[in-house]
Amino acid sequence: AIAAFPRNKPEVTKKARATLEARGVDVSPRPSPSFNAGIMIFSLRLWRDRKVDDQIRQICEINDNLSLWPRRGSQPPLQVLFSGDRFQSLDVELKVDGLGWDGSVRPSAIKRATFLHWNGELKPWRKDGMFKKYWEKYRYDA
């Protein structure tokens, strides 16, 4: 149902995964590789057919009651459902990330990349954001 850039950093603990599985969640059998949900490509048809929204709501409700993870937004529910072999890996050479925290990213890497990811706190629309000039041409003000 989804494609994303792989990474070897599981976002959800074994204990949290076991707790969710015990409550009927279809937990991915392998926590690794995982991915960053900041850049994903998904089939809306498959997403709807598999009722992913309902599954994510269930995971979020369990987390609200048990505090399995205190933060990380959309990452944990997606990791629970799609890590391991449940997502298509995209070529990591197509992206550059860290644009919201890593000042050492080289302009040449940004120019070569197909996908630019401002993970981190310093998003380009913030006053103190980083690498703003690369974002400005895509900016949309409604």
Side-chain angles (χ1 to χ4, degrees):
I2 71 166
F5 294 105
R7 64 181 181 187
N8 290 320
K9 179 184 165 192
E11 298 283 340
V12 181
T13 65
K14 289 180 183 179
K15 181 180 177 182
R17 292 170 63 81
T19 299
L20 291 166
E21 193 167 28
R23 285 166 173 72
V25 173
D26 182 22
V27 174
S28 173
R30 291 189 3 224
S32 190
S34 64
F35 56 90
N36 186 313
I39 300 175
M40 293 187 333
I41 300 168
F42 57 91
S43 163
L44 195 51
R45 181 184 53 79
L46 288 174
W47 187 277
R48 289 174 177 150
D49 289 351
R50 295 179 183 175
K51 297 182 175 21
V52 174
D53 282 5
D54 293 342
Q55 294 177 62
I56 289 174
R57 282 187 192 93
Q58 178 189 14
I59 292 167
C60 290
E61 184 177 324
I62 293 168
N63 184 56
D64 285 348
N65 292 328
L66 302 177
S67 293
L68 300 173
W69 51 85
R71 20 181 310 215
R72 297 194 187 109
S74 60
Q75 295 289 341
L78 291 163
Q79 299 297 320
V80 166
L81 296 175
F82 295 112
S83 63
D85 61 357
R86 289 189 178 178
F87 75 98
Q88 177 76 34
S89 293
L90 297 173
D91 183 353
V92 295
E93 297 296 318
L94 294 173
K95 64 134 173 125
V96 63
D97 60 9
L99 298 177
W101 65 270
D102 186 356
S104 70
V105 176
R106 294 183 170 191
S108 59
I110 296 171
K111 289 175 183 168
R112 278 193 315 269
T114 302
F115 296 94
L116 305 179
H117 188 197
W118 274 266
N119 53 335
E121 296 295 319
L122 302 176
K123 308 294 188 200
W125 52 86
R126 291 180 43 156
K127 186 176 182 180
D128 60 348
M130 298 174 68
F131 299 103
K132 290 175 176 266
K133 74 178 189 178
Y134 299 102
W135 174 74
E136 282 295 326
K137 69 180 179 180
Y138 303 106
R139 180 180 174 165
Y140 174 78
D141 293 322

